[in-house]
Amino acid sequence: MRLFNSTNCWITQYNKGQIIHLQNEMCRTMDIVLEGKVAVQKIDEDGGILKINVFSQGGILGANLLFARENYYHMTVVSESPSVLLHISKDLILELSQTNVHFMTGLMTVISDRTLLLTDKIDAISLKTIRQKIIDYLRYEYSLQKSNILKMSITKKDLAERFGIERTSLSRELNKMRKDGLLEYNANTITLKKIDLLK
C-alpha cells in the first residue's frame, strides 16, 4: 500500500490576499509552507487586524489544532504573497507518527514550540502600553542584530498589526520616544540612542 496519495497529501497554490482557512473552519490538515508567506490574523468587530504570526518557507500550520477536541481555526489564515502549501491529512499524520519516531518527535516539537509562541504573543499584547510593546520588539531585534541601528524586517503597518494597534498610534508613540531622545527612525531603520532603554 502506498503511504502517500492524492487523498491524504496534496499541494495547493494561493494568490496574494487569498484566504486559506477561515475563522471557525474545521482543521483537517497540517499545512507546510513550501513557497511564499502566510499570515495568521484576527479581525475584530471594527475591522481592525491583529496579526498573530507570519509563516514563511518551512513554516507549519494546523499541527496544534489537528488533534484538539475543538479542532477549528480561531483565526483566519491568509496568503500574504503568492504561496504554495503542502496539505497533509490527519490519517497520514497518524500513520507517519506510528511508523517513524523521528517524525513523531518533530511533530511534538512543533506543537510545543507553537504553545510557547502563543503564550509569548498573549503576554506581548495584553496589559502592556504601546511603549512597552515597542521596547519588547526593540529588545528582541537588538538581541538578533547586535547593533544600535536596527534594520526593519517588516513595515510599520505590519508591526502595528502584530501589536494589535492602529498604525497612527504606533507612529504617535515612536514620535514621543524620538522627542524623549530615546531613538531615531525612518522607513528602514530604528536607531537606539539609549541602549539602557532595553534594560
Side-chain angles (χ1 to χ4, degrees), residues 88-170:
I88 306 175
S89 72
K90 185 175 182 178
D91 289 341
L92 181 55
I93 295 295
L94 283 171
E95 192 163 355
L96 289 170
S97 296
Q98 292 169 355
T99 58
N100 189 319
V101 66
H102 297 295
F103 177 86
M104 183 179 67
T105 302
L107 180 62
M108 294 301 102
T109 299
V110 168
I111 293 173
S112 300
D113 288 347
R114 188 62 43 77
T115 301
L116 291 174
L117 172 67
L118 290 175
T119 301
D120 290 343
K121 182 65 69 171
I122 291 170
D123 180 62
I125 63 177
S126 61
L127 304 177
K128 289 190 176 182
T129 65
I130 296 175
R131 181 167 295 201
Q132 287 172 327
K133 294 176 184 180
I134 293 172
I135 290 173
D136 283 348
Y137 170 77
L138 295 176
R139 183 182 294 118
Y140 175 75
E141 288 297 325
Y142 181 76
S143 70
L144 293 179
Q145 301 186 35
K146 308 297 184 185
S147 170
N148 67 318
I149 301 177
L150 305 176
K151 295 179 181 179
M152 296 290 291
S153 58
I154 58 176
T155 65
K156 301 281 193 315
K157 178 178 180 293
D158 288 335
L159 186 59
E161 288 178 357
R162 291 193 183 188
F163 289 164
I165 61 176
E166 296 293 332
R167 182 179 176 179
T168 52
S169 299
L170 174 62

